[in-house]
Amino acid sequence: MGKIIAIANQKGGVGKTTTAVNLAASLAATKRKVLLIDLDPQGNATMASGVDKYNVHATCYELLVEEQSVEQVVIKETSGLYHLISANADVTAAEIKLMGVFAREQRLKSALAPVKDFYDFIIIDCPPSLNMLTVNAMTAADSVLVPMQCEYYALEGLTALMDTITKLTSVVNDKLHIEGILRTMYDPRNRLANDVSEQLKRHFGDKVYRSVIPRNVRLAEAPSFGTPAMYYDKSSTGAKAYLALAGEVLRKNDAAKKAQKATASVAN
């Protein structure tokens, strides 16, 4: 069964889309079947995947509102070699339309149910706010990966996100958990960044990924060329960092599956 990971943080500018695109590409490079879902009306993940958001046959709007199937809306040719469900400004209307729909927070989960076993990983790029689109992502997801900068305000944002996840767990998805916390735009020369990094490790332990995403010009340039960093400059520190993250995600996922099998065998 595939795993659904929502990339979320209520604070903007922390590298959510960069992480979604580059993690999806790195996982796809390991021969996993990957679907990237762009739930942000800005459509940045769509453009960074080499797809023109102004010229797509369907988006998340058709998936969530018109209830078209994943097969009807998916784009199979992307620069990152993963499948994509795109977004553009039309997705803004989806949130408004969903407000009057029964079980509106379940729309994405229901849409993904038929294809969850087909993909190894489904990565969801969430908007930088807690709206109906984000709630749909959290309801559908198995876990949440949180990218964050190591600065004071980011810690406050992380606290708010943890509160949100706790509330959603009790209301719409009792299996939702933190996949991991990813330090992004990291500069080891910055004393505050190091202090915040240590605080994160003390409070969250092994939930903090060992992989750290540095400030890197190639990571910033790659989206303007419509491609993930590993296909723009595979030797860049940013591309290598996301490949390391993918390896860490795979190892943790394999370990979790083994633990589940062991628990099941003991129970039987």
Side-chain angles (χ1 to χ4, degrees):
M1 181 176 288
K3 186 165 193 175
I4 303 177
I5 303 175
I7 311 290
N9 192 324
Q10 288 164 248
K11 187 178 185 301
V14 297
K16 285 190 302 297
T17 297
T18 299
T19 296
V21 169
N22 286 286
L23 177 58
S26 297
L27 289 170
T30 67
K31 306 304 180 184
R32 268 65 176 188
K33 292 179 181 177
V34 181
L35 171 64
L36 174 61
I37 301 176
D38 188 355
L39 265 192
D40 190 339
Q42 294 179 85
N44 291 334
T46 298
M47 298 292 279
S49 302
V51 175
D52 182 1
K53 66 181 178 181
Y54 301 107
N55 188 31
V56 290
H57 70 282
T59 68
C60 286
Y61 178 90
E62 282 75 16
L63 184 73
L64 297 174
V65 177
E66 297 183 0
E67 296 188 278
Q68 291 187 19
S69 68
V70 169
E71 188 60 34
Q72 287 175 295
V73 302
V74 73
I75 297 168
K76 296 183 179 180
E77 300 292 330
T78 69
S79 58
L81 305 183
Y82 45 75
H83 290 182
L84 172 74
I85 297 178
S86 65
N88 56 26
D90 292 346
V91 178
T92 303
E95 184 182 3
I96 299 169
K97 295 269 188 175
L98 286 174
M99 295 309 293
V101 174
F102 176 73
R104 54 186 177 270
E105 74 282 353
Q106 300 282 341
R107 280 296 178 95
L108 184 59
K109 181 178 182 178
S110 299
L112 294 179
V115 300
K116 188 174 180 181
D117 290 346
F118 177 77
Y119 293 103
D120 296 303
F121 290 93
I122 298 175
I123 309 293
I124 307 174
D125 184 26
C126 297
S129 59
L130 183 62
N131 56 22
M132 186 48 60
L133 297 172
T134 304
V135 171
N136 260 268
M138 298 286 194
T139 304
D142 297 304
S143 60
V144 183
L145 191 157
V146 185
M148 64 168 288
Q149 287 180 265
C150 289
E151 56 182 32
Y152 175 72
Y153 289 118
L155 281 176
E156 286 194 335
L158 181 60
T159 301
L161 181 61
M162 293 301 178
D163 290 342
T164 297
I165 291 172
T166 300
K167 290 173 183 174
L168 289 173
T169 300
S170 63
V171 177
V172 296
N173 185 355
D174 60 359
K175 295 181 180 179
L176 187 67
H177 63 275
I178 296 294
E179 179 73 19
I181 297 170
L182 177 67
R183 292 161 288 174
T184 60
M185 301 179 225
Y186 190 76
D187 184 351
R189 298 168 298 178
N190 186 314
R191 183 177 175 180
L192 177 61
N194 289 320
D195 288 345
V196 172
S197 179
E198 287 303 314
Q199 287 184 53
L200 283 173
K201 286 189 280 188
R202 278 200 303 272
H203 284 90
F204 296 100
D206 61 3
K207 287 294 184 184
V208 180
Y209 287 112
R210 294 177 184 175
S211 304
V212 176
I213 310 302
R215 286 193 179 276
N216 180 245
V217 173
R218 292 292 186 261
L219 277 179
E221 290 175 346
S224 64
F225 289 86
T227 186
M230 65 178 297
Y231 296 114
Y232 177 61
D233 183 355
K234 65 180 180 181
S235 65
S236 66
T237 57
K240 290 177 180 177
Y242 276 111
L243 280 169
L245 173 65
E248 203 169 342
V249 168
L250 289 171
R251 286 192 297 274
K252 284 189 173 185
N253 194 51
D254 289 342
K257 284 182 178 178
K258 287 179 182 177
Q260 286 177 349
K261 286 181 180 178
T263 302
S265 63
V266 170
N268 292 332

